[in-house]
Amino acid sequence: MEAFETYQTPLSSRYASKEMAHLFSASNRFSTWRKLWLNLAIAEKELGLPIPDDAITQMQANLELTPEQFDVAAKEEKKRRHDVMAHVHTFGTVAPAAAGIIHLGATSCYVTDNADLIFLRTGLDYLIRSLSVLISRLSAFASQYRALPTLGFTHFQPAQLTTVGKRATLWIQELLWDLRNIKRARDDLGFRGVKGTTGTQASFLTLFDGAHAKVEALDKLVTKLSGFEYAYPVTSQTYSRKIDVDVLAPLASLGATAHKMATDIRLLANLKEIEEPFESTQIGSSAMAYKRNPMRSERVCSLSRHLMVLHQNALMTAGTQWFERTLDDSANRRITLPEAFLTADIVLSTLQNISEGLVVYPKVIARRIAQELPFMATENIIMAIVKKGGDRQEAHEKIRVLSHEAAHQVKHLGLENDLIARVQADAYFDPIKGELEELLKPESFIGRAPEQVDAFLKEWVGPALEGKEMQEAIEGSGRVELSV
């Protein structure tokens, strides 16, 4: 396998955003290694090691790899069977003045682990921005349909009414928690730093002739040059694989949120109440030409399951490390970490595309409400009779009988719900027949749903998205167009 191909994943080639695909590309990985070698050389020189100026200059001028250098690295790796040393030698061919000091005092994990931490932090930056845009899009949808009554479901059986907008806030609330969790993971990330082969910094202590203060200063300076505020105080050869667990946990949780939201949309599509975008020339089925399959939501569910289980890889890898290091983490992590971020990126972009084109069918929603509302209105009818001087138990029995008769019409004969017609035909209900229309307005069954939407968007969504990072992402975002 050539060096350029080593870090590729099928997800990166077609569906992921360009920035996320580039983040986990071979070119970015090996360029980041070179930047880390440069930072190490700069810090070592500043602290007194005899590193010539032209070594630094040549390294700075060759941080990006050319196709020819990839070829050289591939040949070196085939010969040496060691990717880091292959790139040490390749870097030295274009920075000959630095050839003898590249990787000085370091172990492979100096570049591999520190680079991974850079990628994890940058990847979380990207996901935070994408998540902010998605929340913004769904918030606009929730606001638009804040007061549109719709049938609620518990156990996927008809329940009390809610609103289309209120249901969307349930999705948004979980996404806000995901945003919080991902930001926490991002902000908590540290740097492995300069720790040596087993974490004791012995090689650097030798380089600086036993000067502990200089080794400590080296660790801090390289950490600062690499853009981190702190390095983990102790490590083995690697940073603890618990860090991968902590990073992938909120991504797995995002997968659960996305799966629930996409499942709701798939069920609503079956009810013909809400549909995801469907292009005029799109084909839903090769055989059934009439079909409008919710393929975007199905894709989200499929990838979200993959995202949720990748966390298990991180847990198992962290739990099976031996002492200061064992290499059985490497191949797994080279697949798991990029795929987790690429999958999360695709899930978010697909959800954004869905949210930007959701189609609501109010008349279908109203028809379904009309089929169920008469049963829900029975308590209101009973209360209205009592207010007119009627007996609560007698009214209850009257409604019970009429309700069962109407249910027979619906379930056994396949007819429409005629409960209200039966109420209107019964002289017992004469005192309230003039009120029936008002009693049956769907708006009177949605409680505080519209007000809840307004308060939620103002008091929770607004503050969560008010930071500069989120606002720049929202303002700079365009509509997402998906390939098939």
Side-chain angles (χ1 to χ4, degrees), residues 26 57 117 127-128 136 149 152 173 215 222 227 230 233 236 251 302 325 333 350 368 440 449 454 467-468 474 476:
T57 301
L117 289 165
L127 294 181
I128 288 168
S136 175
Q173 179 169 249
V215 176
V222 171
Y230 81 102
S236 59
L251 270 59
S302 180
R325 202 294 155 82
R333 293 177 69 254
T350 307
R368 181 160 284 106
L440 288 167
D454 294 341
K468 180 180 178 182
I474 294 167

Side-chain angles (χ1 to χ4, degrees), residues 204-221:
F204 295 104
L205 193 61
T206 298
L207 276 176
F208 287 100
D209 298 322
H212 289 268
K214 285 196 173 184
V215 176
E216 291 179 6
L218 179 71
D219 200 8
K220 292 179 180 179
L221 182 53

Side-chain angles (χ1 to χ4, degrees), residues 131-423:
L131 193 47
S132 299
V133 174
L134 173 59
I135 292 170
S136 175
R137 298 290 194 270
L138 284 173
S139 296
F141 176 84
S143 179
Q144 180 180 356
Y145 294 102
R146 57 183 288 281
L148 179 62
T150 189
L151 193 63
F153 292 97
T154 57
H155 315 275
F156 203 26
Q157 300 299 313
Q160 287 263 344
L161 298 192
T162 182
T163 68
V164 171
K166 171 62 192 300
R167 179 176 283 147
T169 64
L170 302 181
W171 305 333
I172 298 168
Q173 179 169 249
E174 294 191 0
L175 291 170
L176 286 179
W177 293 333
D178 294 321
L179 180 64
R180 174 203 63 192
N181 295 341
I182 292 174
K183 288 174 68 176
R184 283 176 178 173
R186 190 267 312 271
D187 296 343
D188 194 47
L189 272 178
F191 200 54
R192 176 192 175 275
V194 178
K195 298 297 195 295
T197 55
T198 58
T200 66
Q201 298 177 310
S203 58
F204 295 104
L205 193 61
T206 298
L207 276 176
F208 287 100
D209 298 322
H212 289 268
K214 285 196 173 184
V215 176
E216 291 179 6
L218 179 71
D219 200 8
K220 292 179 180 179
L221 182 53
V222 171
T223 298
K224 181 179 179 181
L225 288 170
S226 301
F228 282 77
E229 293 185 3
Y230 81 102
Y232 297 116
V234 292
T235 72
S236 59
Q237 185 175 99
T238 70
Y239 68 77
S240 171
R241 298 314 183 211
K242 284 277 287 184
I243 300 302
D244 296 342
V245 174
D246 291 347
V247 170
L248 264 59
L251 270 59
S253 183
L254 170 64
T257 300
H259 199 292
K260 186 264 190 290
M261 174 182 167
T263 299
D264 283 353
I265 293 172
R266 291 166 67 188
L267 293 171
L268 290 168
N270 175 264
L271 298 175
K272 298 180 176 59
E273 293 188 2
I274 292 179
E275 288 183 338
E276 64 178 38
F278 196 94
E279 277 71 34
S280 60
T281 58
Q282 184 175 327
I283 296 175
S285 168
S286 61
M288 296 168 279
Y290 60 88
K291 294 197 74 179
R292 293 169 64 96
N293 297 333
M295 67 171 208
R296 291 170 172 84
S297 298
E298 290 172 320
R299 181 186 297 172
V300 169
C301 288
S302 180
L303 291 174
S304 294
R305 289 198 302 272
H306 181 59
L307 182 57
M308 287 187 274
V309 301
L310 285 174
H311 184 227
Q312 297 299 312
N313 267 348
L315 285 167
M316 294 175 70
T317 296
T320 56
Q321 292 303 287
W322 297 355
F323 301 115
E324 280 68 47
R325 202 294 155 82
T326 178
L327 196 61
D328 65 351
D329 66 332
S330 180
N332 188 300
R333 293 177 69 254
R334 292 188 190 201
I335 298 171
T336 298
L337 296 182
E339 285 206 352
F341 279 84
L342 292 163
T343 303
D345 178 75
I346 299 165
V347 165
L348 287 175
S349 64
T350 307
L351 284 177
Q352 182 184 332
N353 173 266
I354 293 170
S355 69
E356 290 171 344
L358 280 174
V359 181
V360 178
Y361 296 104
K363 292 184 178 180
V364 176
I365 293 173
R367 184 177 65 195
R368 181 160 284 106
I369 290 175
Q371 292 170 344
E372 302 293 340
L373 193 59
F375 293 131
M376 297 178 191
T378 54
E379 183 70 14
N380 288 4
I381 293 173
I382 292 171
M383 292 300 101
I385 282 290
V386 172
K387 287 181 180 180
K388 295 291 185 179
D391 181 276
R392 191 266 177 196
Q393 314 313 330
E394 184 178 3
H396 183 279
E397 179 61 17
K398 286 279 188 179
I399 285 290
R400 186 191 70 81
V401 172
L402 295 180
S403 295
H404 282 284
E405 292 174 354
H408 179 82
Q409 297 289 310
V410 173
K411 294 179 180 179
H412 294 276
L413 303 180
L415 302 176
E416 293 297 320
N417 187 336
D418 64 353
L419 174 59
I420 300 305
R422 291 174 183 274
V423 170

Side-chain angles (χ1 to χ4, degrees), residues 67-123:
E68 292 75 20
Q69 289 172 52
F70 270 107
D71 291 340
V72 172
K75 292 174 183 176
E76 288 284 350
E77 185 172 352
K78 186 174 183 180
K79 178 172 66 175
R80 302 176 189 279
R81 306 301 299 170
H82 196 290
D83 56 353
V84 172
M85 286 307 299
H87 279 271
V88 168
H89 284 275
T90 302
F91 199 10
T93 64
V94 293
I101 58 91
I102 296 172
H103 201 66
L104 183 60
T107 187
S108 296
C109 286
Y110 167 70
V111 288
T112 57
D113 273 34
N114 282 323
D116 281 343
L117 289 165
I118 292 170
F119 301 151
L120 294 181
R121 189 177 66 173
T122 304

Side-chain angles (χ1 to χ4, degrees), residues 431-476:
I432 64 163
K433 286 179 182 177
E435 302 174 23
L436 282 177
E437 184 177 349
E438 188 67 26
L439 289 172
L440 288 167
K441 281 186 176 180
E443 292 77 8
S444 64
F445 290 85
I446 59 176
R448 297 190 62 254
E451 291 74 20
Q452 286 181 340
V453 172
D454 294 341
F456 174 70
L457 295 179
K458 179 181 178 181
E459 298 171 14
W460 293 93
V461 177
L465 299 182
E466 68 181 2
K468 180 180 178 182
E469 178 181 21
M470 279 71 77
Q471 284 300 308
E472 287 181 349
I474 294 167
E475 292 168 5

